[in-house]
Amino acid sequence: MPVLAVTKERRAGETRVAVTPDAAKKLIALGFEVVVEAGAGLAASVTDADYEAAGAKLVPTAAAALDGADLVLKVRGPADDEIAMLKPGAIVVGLLNPFQDREVLTALTGRSATVFAMELVPRITRAQVMDALSSQANLAGYRAVIEAAEVYGRAMPMMMTAAGTVAAAKVFVMGAGVAGLQAIATARRLGAVVTATDVRPAAKEQVESLGAKFVAVQDEEFKAAETAAGYAKVMSDAYQAKQAELVADHIRKQDIVVTTALIPGRLAPKLVSAEHVASMKPGSVLVDLAVEQGGNVVGAKSGEIVETGGVKIVGIANLPGRIAADASALYARNLTAFVGLLIKDGALAPDFDDEILQAALVSRDGAIVHQLLKPV
Ligand code: NAD
């Protein structure tokens, strides 16, 4: 029977866990023995007793969990000490941030590991249930608005009271992908007046269907700005200049700006300049979801709230980690579906010809095989 290990996440501030008790039950049904390090789920509100009730085996340390594990499921890349404990040749699956966290990949290959990165799962219909980027981005978008509301010193909805009227907050969402659309929906539910922008033309209808107004430079370049995979392209300098001008006029009237713009495999585009920030009213708030990928807002700092001219730039790293119970439950379902492709008739037997596994495979038996990650 193949052994599947779940350990406590070791990255600072990581509260999620890769496998929940519900997922453990499903993994056991697939034919795994599931071994969990004690305390692995506590930060996500899951107790050791919950795992035991689901049929998992609790062990006191990471070493005891990893010793003999054929498959290791993680949220983030494993820490050095965990990598040193891996059984040579084990399979490791997680949100490994493969383009940035190269050291983790190198260390894993040193243990002859076969490694899959959940970020690289293709966005095809069959893989939707495994789409961890979407499951986590959706929660991050929700949470970004909650964080903004917390930091903002005024109310979100319009309120007409005997003592006077409170104006609705004006919220501008930049980047209307999965996170941005959920941010729009959340801000609308709280009663804000919402506008949004994106460089992909498909976003316009989605933004409008949520009751927000679409604001963008809609020229010929914009009409061709979506890749076949549905992602944004890097825009020309000329487009970015026009976009910056439009943003300049719009942003100074906003109370809250939530930025979510990403381009896969690259640093996030800078959309909000220091001048834009300086033009905003004191008390305004920016939340930069892209802060871990370099940030959309000039001056945003990961893990900090930077205040400049009375405007707060919120750079919380790992927003899904602030809603760890739900984030873990959805991620664990993504992983469980993915693991279904690694096991056949109760034995670990990945079908390396499957297009999903092919796309997500970073290294096999210790050799980096992903085209974009291979050493040149
Ligand atoms: P993402 O996280 O890569 O980027 C977030 C958003 O930022 C995107 O909408 C992107 O267009 C936007 N952006 C990039 N540069 C920008 C700029 N300069 N100015 C303004 N906005 C900019 O994207 P995502 O959330 O992963 O989603 C991308 C698309 O893929 C969406 O259309 C989404 O609906 C789609 N999607 C499809 C599937 C599927 O088919 N299985 C799954 C998830 C998402």
Side-chain angles (χ1 to χ4, degrees), residues 123 128 131 134 177-178 198-200 230-232 243 260-262 271:
R123 283 177 155 177
Q128 264 180 11
D131 187 350
S134 289
V178 178
D198 201 294
V199 290
R200 291 178 304 103
Y231 288 113
Q243 191 186 30
T260 77
L262 292 176
L271 301 181

Side-chain angles (χ1 to χ4, degrees), residues 108-253:
L108 283 167
T109 52
R111 301 295 290 176
S112 305
T114 291
V115 178
F116 294 98
M118 289 301 283
E119 294 94 331
L120 301 175
V121 166
R123 283 177 155 177
I124 55 174
T125 309
R126 188 166 68 91
Q128 264 180 11
V129 58
M130 306 165 200
D131 187 350
L133 281 184
S134 289
S135 74
Q136 304 304 291
N138 177 50
L139 293 171
Y142 158 79
R143 190 71 204 189
V145 174
I146 301 300
E147 299 291 344
E150 159 81 20
V151 173
Y152 186 50
R154 297 169 188 268
M156 291 286 249
M158 186 180 88
M159 289 182 233
M160 290 165 102
T161 78
T165 300
V166 171
K170 294 195 188 76
V171 175
F172 181 36
V173 177
M174 303 183 75
V178 178
L181 291 174
Q182 186 56 258
I184 295 168
T186 305
R188 290 267 303 149
R189 281 183 212 120
L190 288 174
V193 174
V194 185
T195 50
T197 190
D198 201 294
V199 290
R200 291 178 304 103
K204 182 177 193 287
E205 205 183 301
Q206 291 163 352
V207 164
E208 288 171 352
S209 75
L210 290 171
K213 191 169 164 230
F214 192 67
V215 178
V217 177
Q218 299 179 40
D219 62 5
E220 288 306 312
E221 186 176 348
F222 170 84
K223 286 179 194 146
E226 184 157 327
T227 65
Y231 288 113
K233 290 182 180 162
V234 179
M235 304 305 275
S236 69
D237 288 347
Y239 184 92
Q240 289 192 33
K242 282 193 266 180
Q243 191 186 30
E245 207 175 299
L246 180 97
V247 166
D249 186 49
H250 190 65
I251 224 168
R252 63 188 171 80
K253 303 174 206 151

Side-chain angles (χ1 to χ4, degrees), residues 291-375:
V291 71
E292 286 174 276
Q293 283 81 24
N296 295 138
V297 181
V298 171
K301 289 209 175 85
S302 185
E304 288 182 34
I305 299 179
V306 177
E307 194 165 343
T308 159
V311 177
K312 291 187 177 127
I313 308 174
V314 180
I316 298 169
N318 189 11
L319 276 165
R322 297 232 167 171
I323 181 169
D326 283 331
S328 302
L330 297 188
Y331 179 60
R333 270 179 230 143
N334 296 143
L335 274 181
T336 307
F338 186 84
V339 167
L341 304 177
L342 303 177
I343 191 161
K344 200 161 182 232
D345 302 327
L348 255 189
D351 171 8
F352 289 102
D353 290 330
D354 184 300
E355 64 177 317
I356 299 174
L357 294 194
Q358 252 177 22
L361 184 65
V362 173
S363 80
R364 184 167 175 186
D365 301 328
I368 303 265
V369 293
H370 195 280
Q371 282 305 330
L372 299 176
L373 293 161
K374 264 190 200 169

